[in-house]
Amino acid sequence: MSWPVTELDAVARMRVLAAALPGAFITEAVLDAPFDRVWAVAADLENELPRLLRTVRSVRIIRDDGEDQVADITGHFGLRDSFDVVLRSGWCVMQSGRVVGGMAAVAEGSGTRFAFLGALRVPGTRTLGPVLRRAGRPLGRGMHARLRERVAEG
């Protein structure tokens, strides 16, 4: 017997990850720019992530083994955490013991579909899921808006 096989693009995989993480939110937008330009900005974690995500003050890559990295990320409220990062073309997942973040992008027509995911790993996340998802969506929409601006700046 043969099982059906399907391929999921990076944004579809990010949707699956969001569905699997309690309390995760995911936002998507189509940007009017080619994939290469969008991903060049999004994947520049040290320089661009603090500009794109208002909760992040700084990112410092402390180990870079190609696709596998470790980053120290500091927030504006003094929180600092070490994140395991998987970064490849069109896909980035960053996770610490308390937070999971992700970005995915795929070419769509002449533009790029971009997804942003966020989730907390704290007690009560499953119960607070609907509240966390509602609270996270504006964060994601703001990131999409700033990404559009950064890509347009070139």
Side-chain angles (χ1 to χ4, degrees):
M1 177 197 275
S2 294
W3 290 96
V5 176
T6 187
E7 290 289 324
L8 297 177
D9 67 31
V11 171
R13 285 194 321 268
M14 194 62 67
R15 289 183 200 125
V16 170
L17 183 58
L21 291 169
F25 71 87
I26 186 168
T27 58
E28 294 182 32
V30 176
L31 285 74
D32 188 24
F35 170 86
D36 291 338
R37 219 164 65 206
V38 170
W39 196 249
V41 172
D44 185 358
L45 300 179
E46 286 186 316
N47 295 306
E48 295 294 343
L49 193 59
R51 292 178 178 160
L52 299 175
L53 194 54
R54 296 289 189 206
T55 57
V56 172
R57 187 175 70 206
S58 68
V59 177
R60 188 169 60 91
I61 304 298
I62 59 172
R63 192 183 86 228
D64 187 347
D65 295 331
E67 291 182 353
D68 297 317
Q69 302 176 0
V70 175
D72 277 343
I73 299 179
T74 304
H76 286 286
F77 304 111
L79 281 175
R80 181 173 173 223
D81 216 338
S82 181
F83 285 75
D84 291 322
V85 179
V86 175
L87 179 62
R88 54 180 75 116
S89 182
W91 179 260
C92 178
V93 174
M94 302 166 280
Q95 60 181 333
S96 73
R98 297 181 284 198
V99 177
V100 178
M103 301 180 290
V106 293
E108 183 170 296
S110 62
T112 304
R113 178 168 293 277
F114 185 85
F116 174 69
L117 169 141
L120 297 176
R121 290 180 161 163
V122 295
T125 302
R126 191 171 305 280
T127 304
L128 294 172
V131 173
L132 294 171
R133 280 188 286 280
R134 259 192 319 277
R137 286 188 188 111
L139 181 70
R141 286 192 297 267
M143 181 179 193
H144 292 298
R146 285 182 291 284
L147 180 58
R148 273 189 184 93
E149 292 170 7
R150 297 296 298 157
V151 169
E153 291 171 7

